[in-house]
Amino acid sequence: MTGQQEPAGQRELAGRVALVAGATRGAGRAMAVELGRAGALVYVTGRTTRERVSEVGRPTETIEQTAELVTAAGGTGIAVPTDHLDPAQVKALTERIDREQGRLDVLVNSVWGGDRLIEFDTRLWDLDLEKGLRMFRLGIDTHVITGHYALPLLIRRPGGLVVEVTDGTAAFNRTYRENLCFDLTKNAPHRIAFGLAAELKEHGGTAVSLTPGFLRSEEMLDHFGVTEETWRDAVAQEPHFAIAESPALIARGVRALAADPAKERWSGQSLSSGQLAKEYDYTDTDGSRPDCFAYFEDVVFGGKEATADAYR
């Protein structure tokens, strides 16, 4: 890639098959669409469909929409309603991919849907235990179940990629995330990727954990009462939102990883969208290259006198 806002006209992933688990909205949707833009056939999964709404409660975002966006971008999008906590459904999903394609080249494990459960600045003994345990189910169990059924298909060919999507790099998450259950849930994908890197090595596969920065997801934009076009209006409410990035930044990173013939060098590592943007020389949709975690390390936690613009 060059420094263009998007690698137009390239179909470097033509013939590849991807599964983006948790592709209903946010980073998952963007990653699925970007893989399609590169020419991949992408299975997109989630629980919200045009007929049924998941516990997240956002009916305007569906996996059918995501599949249509993948196809419109130049790939082939296939929506498969899947609850990744149900082993039988995940097994049926991977059997379908095997039956229809006979291969799986990229697994993006972006299942979550637990933001509504987080109680920040709340001690363990004061937490709503049901909410805390549900976070484990949504953010850890789903990833293990999905990997269990999908990886036998992915290891048939060398060069497979597994992306464990999380919140915060391993370095950033050394700072306590202000809720024990959330902290554990978002650190687990780093260890999953680390372990899978060891297990996939003999099969020529790569596993990484990957986090966006301060993500301008649909849910976050709604939280601040802004749109993608007016997002800077939210900086008055939350000054650190000035470093926010669109879902395209992490999506372009996944595309670059999937197409990189030397991606094994990343295996087992914790990566961020900003880090990959520098490495692969791409930008966000506005032409900037926000580095959220450098900003937080230097300015928010380190006390450096600088603005977010210096980290874009």
Side-chain angles (χ1 to χ4, degrees):
M1 295 185 186
T2 68
Q4 297 175 7
Q5 289 189 15
E6 67 178 58
Q10 300 179 24
R11 292 179 56 83
E12 67 273 24
L13 298 181
R16 308 276 187 90
V17 177
L19 165 59
V20 180
T24 313
R25 60 186 65 84
R29 170 176 282 188
M31 290 183 284
V33 172
E34 192 64 27
L35 290 169
R37 184 171 287 112
L41 183 150
V42 188
Y43 286 85
V44 300
T45 66
R47 294 173 297 166
T48 296
T49 69
R50 289 185 173 128
E51 290 75 38
R52 179 176 297 180
V53 181
S54 78
E55 66 193 74
V56 176
R58 294 183 62 87
T60 58
E61 300 134 9
T62 69
I63 58 168
E64 293 94 342
Q65 290 174 344
T66 301
E68 290 164 359
L69 289 169
V70 170
T71 301
T76 301
I78 301 174
V80 184
T82 307
D83 181 347
H84 285 262
L85 279 174
D86 184 342
Q89 290 188 38
V90 180
K91 183 174 185 287
L93 165 68
T94 56
E95 288 176 345
R96 174 176 172 178
I97 297 172
D98 188 8
R99 185 171 62 252
E100 295 178 351
Q101 312 302 331
R103 64 186 295 166
L104 180 63
D105 302 287
V106 180
L107 168 61
V108 178
N109 215 332
S110 189
V111 182
W112 173 225
D115 286 340
R116 64 192 174 79
L117 303 172
I118 306 170
E119 300 171 297
F120 285 123
D121 298 315
T122 305
R123 301 295 180 258
L124 176 61
W125 51 90
D126 293 324
L127 286 177
D128 182 318
L129 185 59
E130 184 177 348
K131 289 182 178 179
L133 296 178
R134 185 64 178 171
M135 277 193 272
F136 294 158
R137 292 284 284 151
L138 291 172
I140 301 175
D141 291 11
T142 55
H143 287 231
V144 173
I145 291 168
T146 302
H148 174 79
Y149 287 106
L151 290 178
L153 184 54
L154 184 133
I155 64 174
R156 286 185 187 172
R157 292 175 173 81
L161 172 66
V162 178
V163 179
E164 289 286 326
V165 181
T166 188
D167 186 313
T169 62
F172 180 81
N173 284 352
R174 287 199 293 266
T175 300
Y176 184 49
R177 300 302 302 272
E178 301 177 347
N179 176 302
L180 185 63
C181 294
F182 179 68
D183 186 285
L184 291 170
T185 299
K186 292 307 177 182
N187 274 289
H190 298 308
R191 292 301 298 180
I192 293 173
F194 180 77
L196 288 180
E199 296 186 2
L200 293 174
K201 186 174 181 179
E202 65 181 292
H203 301 283
T206 297
V208 301
S209 59
L210 178 62
T211 178
F214 202 154
L215 186 69
R216 297 198 302 269
S217 65
E218 300 93 339
E219 197 166 0
M220 186 60 67
L221 292 172
D222 287 349
H223 171 74
F224 286 121
V226 294
T227 66
E228 179 59 21
E229 292 70 35
T230 65
W231 70 268
R232 286 188 177 275
D233 293 346
V235 175
Q237 303 175 55
E238 171 50 75
H240 299 319
F241 201 56
I243 198 65
E245 64 196 53
S246 83
L249 197 71
I250 189 172
R252 291 171 179 176
V254 168
R255 174 178 178 173
L257 279 172
D260 185 352
K263 57 182 169 288
E264 297 92 336
R265 72 189 187 278
W266 298 111
S267 201
Q269 295 187 43
S270 161
L271 307 174
S272 72
S273 53
Q275 177 186 2
L276 292 182
K278 291 179 181 178
E279 173 68 22
Y280 291 106
D281 192 22
Y282 65 86
T283 67
D284 204 343
T285 53
D286 62 0
S288 72
R289 187 177 288 148
D291 189 344
C292 172
F293 295 103
Y295 168 78
F296 269 84
E297 180 179 354
D298 295 348
V299 179
V300 181
F301 300 143
K304 179 180 177 180
E305 291 290 335
T307 66
D309 285 343
Y311 291 82
R312 298 194 71 89

